[in-house]
């Protein structure tokens, strides 16, 4: 699947797609993981080892001017839980210019998120979402999720209330609240 927009295009890579496409997703994911501060596994013997990271994952790459500037990894989920927060600051839409990096880091250390105990039905799990810093606030993340909603399950557009996120960052919580239009987006457990 490939969708073209005004500024770029979205390419979908499914688990059953070819090795070359999945290799490209893994290359992008490695860069994204470093930028997001995730623990990155050391280089292993080859693609087959890295392919485990994409097991059951459908990827959406946003390409603008021949560069990948957005990545969305999604998977099927069956249940999720409401996100609970002890801090209402994630409701605001602070930009990186409003708050210094040091203040943001201190705020993130003081902020904690938890989830309810009551399960809710979910279908689409947002495993990871990222947009290059120079391309943020251009609806790229929203366009990626829209593509996933419309193409992930054949013949169905996944309703907003059946979307769940895995371990969102504070920026991810703000995105989820804004995109879904709810104060308590759903989160799912990573297995």
């Amino acid at each position: 699947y490939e969708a073209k927009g005004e500024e770029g295009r979205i390419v979908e890579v499914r688990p059953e797609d070819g090795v070359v496409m999945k290799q490209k997703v893994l290359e992008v994911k490695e860069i994204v993981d470093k930028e997001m501060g995730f623990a990155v596994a050391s280089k292993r013997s080859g693609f087959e080892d890295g392919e485990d990271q994409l097991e059951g994952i459908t990827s959406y790459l946003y390409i603008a001017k021949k560069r990948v500037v957005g990545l969305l990894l999604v998977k099927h989920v069956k249940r999720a839980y409401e996100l609970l927060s002890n801090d209402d600051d994630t409701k605001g839409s602070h930009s990186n210019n409003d708050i210094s990096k040091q203040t943001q880091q201190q705020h993130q250390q003081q902020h904690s998120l938890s989830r309810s105990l009551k399960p809710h039905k979910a279908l689409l799990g947002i495993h990871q979402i990222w947009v290059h810093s120079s391309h943020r606030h251009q609806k790229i993340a929203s366009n990626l999720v829209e593509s996933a909603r419309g193409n992930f399950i054949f013949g169905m557009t996944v309703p907003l209330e059946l979307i769940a996120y895995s371990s969102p960052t504070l920026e991810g919580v703000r995105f989820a609240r804004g995109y879904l239009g709810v104060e308590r987006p759903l989160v799912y457990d990573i297995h």
Side-chain angles (χ1 to χ4, degrees), residues 36-129:
M36 293 180 79
F38 293 166
V40 179
S42 60
K43 293 275 185 188
R44 294 191 244 174
S45 60
F47 173 73
E48 292 78 21
D49 291 333
E51 190 175 16
D52 291 346
Q53 296 178 48
L54 298 179
E55 187 174 328
I57 299 277
T58 298
S59 308
Y60 295 85
L61 302 165
Y62 192 98
I63 301 167
K65 298 180 182 174
K66 299 183 180 182
R67 291 184 57 212
V68 175
V69 297
L71 174 69
L72 172 66
L73 305 178
V74 299
K75 63 190 279 185
H76 279 283
V77 295
K78 293 181 180 176
R79 70 174 177 258
Y81 306 87
E82 283 186 342
L83 180 69
L84 305 175
S85 172
N86 70 347
D87 183 354
D88 291 337
D89 285 349
T90 56
K91 293 178 188 173
S93 58
H94 300 295
S95 71
N96 287 345
N97 298 332
D98 294 340
I99 303 173
S100 72
K101 286 282 188 198
Q102 184 177 11
T103 304
Q104 284 179 356
Q105 289 171 348
Q106 290 170 350
H107 177 73
Q108 287 177 356
Q109 289 170 354
Q110 295 169 356
H111 182 82
S112 68
L113 299 171
S114 59
R115 67 168 179 84
S116 68
L117 298 176
K118 180 183 173 191
H120 294 266
K121 181 179 178 182
L123 284 176
L124 179 65
I126 307 290
H127 181 70
Q128 189 173 21
I129 188 166

Side-chain angles (χ1 to χ4, degrees), residues 141-142 145-146 149 160 163 165 174-181:
S142 296
V145 176
E146 283 297 310
R149 286 183 62 214
L160 292 175
I163 297 175
Y165 296 78
R174 280 194 284 277
F175 170 76
R177 286 177 172 162
Y179 180 79
L180 299 172

